[in-house]
Amino acid sequence: MTNVHGESFDLPTPDGTADAYLAHPDDGAPHPGVLLYMDAFGLRPALEAMARRLAGHGYTVLVPNVFYRSGRTPLVELPEHINPAERPEIFATLMPIMQSFTPDMAVRDAGAYLDWLAASPLVADGPVGTAGYCMGGALAVRTAAAYPDRIAAAAAFHTGRLVTDTEDSPHRLLDRVTAELYFGHADQDQSMTAEQIAVLERTLDEVGARFRSELYEGAHHGYTQTDTAAYNAEAAERHWQALLDLLGRTL
């Protein structure tokens, strides 16, 4: 693992300014870029630590606050250990913010994030990878579909609602994706049932995608997030191996 530098900064977008976090090897050299998408709890120390860990493997990692239109992070006061069952007001605050964040906004923002990475001297030329957690996984898929020539790898971990009845459901966009894809499903996740996983995998097969879709047994929605009640150390380490393998193959 190399020494890593991490910093917060402001990133301009067509709709305003996103507060963001950047982690990269401390050598001043360009490294492959990774766009890391947050879960609903947002940009916080635990997510910054994940970005630094990934950067330690030789990547320049950008983590934007995707809810910047609603304010800078933290948008809601978070305890050191997040257990939504004990703190229902957290999701009560976040839910309207999540619902106001449309796929069109997400795709427009992704273009700004990718432009920023492409212009940065800390990022190597060529396509980048993207990975997302919980709702961030759907953002990773949407980004790979909207910018197929710019995304070489996309990973989604404990991501719900990849298969919905809506016309713009993430699984309906898969025919536009050229990136290699990885899905790490939590088997204790009501937002991504066995039936929905089957539809996702069938769609991936139909469009000829390069993908791996794996079930993490005994894991709950949020298993990678060290500061939440859902954290599962064994599943989280498995996710790191899968993510590093994917990025190593593609970037």
Side-chain angles (χ1 to χ4, degrees):
M1 297 281 279
T2 53
N3 287 337
V4 164
H5 177 76
E7 63 186 303
S8 299
F9 73 105
D10 285 349
L11 191 159
T13 77
D15 294 356
T17 302
D19 45 315
Y21 185 79
L22 186 74
H24 58 88
D26 209 0
D27 56 7
H31 294 272
V34 178
L35 174 55
L36 199 68
Y37 279 120
M38 64 188 220
D39 60 358
F41 299 128
L43 201 45
R44 59 194 192 281
L47 214 56
E48 293 173 358
M50 292 179 79
R52 289 193 300 273
R53 178 168 174 176
L54 188 53
H57 290 274
Y59 298 98
T60 295
V61 185
L62 173 65
V63 195
N65 164 25
V66 302
F67 292 154
Y68 68 86
R69 291 173 184 82
S70 300
R72 299 176 73 85
T73 48
L75 289 173
V76 54
E77 196 180 322
L78 295 171
E80 273 186 38
H81 184 74
I82 305 167
N83 185 345
E86 293 170 5
R87 298 284 301 276
E89 77 279 4
I90 293 174
F91 263 125
T93 305
L94 290 174
M95 215 51 181
I97 294 172
M98 291 169 70
Q99 288 165 344
S100 70
F101 180 54
T102 66
D104 281 349
M105 290 175 182
V107 167
R108 203 156 60 236
D109 289 345
Y113 304 148
L114 293 174
D115 286 347
W116 189 91
L117 285 167
S120 171
L122 295 167
V123 179
D125 290 342
V128 304
T130 183
Y133 299 90
C134 298
M135 62 156 218
L139 298 178
V141 171
R142 290 190 188 283
T143 300
Y147 303 97
D149 55 328
R150 302 173 77 172
I151 302 293
F157 297 96
H158 47 78
T159 297
R161 301 186 58 75
L162 286 169
V163 175
T164 70
D165 295 334
T166 61
E167 252 176 65
D168 61 359
S169 171
H171 82 290
R172 298 189 204 280
L173 309 173
L174 291 169
D175 58 339
R176 306 176 199 173
V177 174
T178 57
E180 184 176 338
L181 299 166
Y182 180 89
F183 299 92
H185 308 289
D187 75 340
Q188 307 292 308
D189 190 347
Q190 295 312 304
S191 66
M192 194 65 189
T193 62
E195 290 76 18
Q196 289 169 317
I197 292 171
V199 172
L200 176 72
E201 291 175 350
R202 191 165 66 241
T203 307
L204 287 160
D205 280 330
E206 284 169 0
V207 302
R210 288 177 299 136
F211 76 96
R212 291 184 187 179
S213 174
E214 297 182 335
L215 198 62
Y216 286 45
E217 288 181 15
H220 291 263
H221 184 80
Y223 62 77
T224 59
Q225 303 298 304
T226 55
D227 59 349
T228 71
Y231 177 64
N232 178 317
E234 188 182 340
E237 285 308 308
R238 180 180 166 189
H239 127 271
W240 278 115
Q241 194 58 58
L243 179 57
L244 291 168
D245 285 352
L246 174 70
L247 297 177
R249 278 197 306 275
T250 54
L251 300 186

